[in-house]
């Protein structure tokens, strides 16, 4: 989605899924400017001019909607994975086909 908007962060950052990269992307998705996103770069060893150029794309309204939905889906999947790893929790289909959603035993 970001590449379609000419935001080429992965060309400048070695770990596009790292903390700084995610913070910069979140800033852009929340309506921030590339200059505001640069404030989240932290200690990245990248020239700020190159990073600013990589962040300077055009996020249309459609791009923002889809990217925000993807961000929410990833967050929900992470939470579901975390919840399912708790002792006493279970998900449908994990132990049997008739398994229903259950609260953790400590609930």
């Amino acid at each position: 989605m970001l590449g379609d908007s000419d935001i080429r962060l992965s060309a400048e950052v070695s770990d596009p899924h790292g903390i700084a990269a995610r913070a910069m992307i979140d800033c852009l998705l929340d309506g921030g400017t590339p200059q505001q996103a640069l404030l989240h770069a932290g200690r990245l060893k990248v020239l700020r001019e190159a990073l600013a150029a990589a962040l300077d794309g055009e996020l249309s309204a459609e791009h923002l909607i889809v990217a925000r939905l993807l961000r929410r889906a990833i967050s929900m999947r992470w939470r579901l994975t975390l919840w399912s790893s708790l002792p006493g929790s279970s998900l449908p289909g994990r132990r049997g086909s008739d398994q229903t959603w259950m609260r953790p035993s400590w609930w």
Side-chain angles (χ1 to χ4, degrees):
M1 197 48 32
L2 297 175
D4 191 44
S5 302
D6 286 334
I7 295 175
R8 308 286 181 198
L9 189 59
S10 61
E12 298 297 331
V13 178
S14 61
D15 184 10
H17 302 287
I19 294 171
R22 285 184 297 164
M24 289 186 286
I25 292 169
D26 283 341
C27 180
L28 292 175
L29 295 181
D30 292 336
T33 65
Q35 295 304 322
Q36 292 170 329
L38 278 177
L39 298 175
H40 299 282
R43 297 181 293 164
L44 289 176
K45 297 178 182 175
V46 178
L47 291 174
R48 296 299 186 231
E49 294 82 19
L51 198 53
L55 291 169
D56 192 23
E58 176 130 1
L59 281 169
S60 67
E62 292 83 11
H63 287 120
L64 283 173
I65 290 169
V66 173
R68 287 173 181 160
L69 286 172
L70 286 171
R71 179 175 60 175
R72 184 167 174 86
I74 290 168
S75 174
M76 290 172 65
R77 182 173 173 93
W78 179 83
R79 289 180 190 154
L80 183 61
T81 302
L82 180 64
W83 181 80
S84 66
S85 69
L86 294 173
S89 66
S90 62
L91 294 174
R94 288 191 72 182
R95 293 189 190 135
S97 59
D98 60 342
Q99 186 82 21
T100 59
W101 285 86
M102 297 174 54
R103 292 185 300 197
S105 59
W106 48 263
W107 190 275

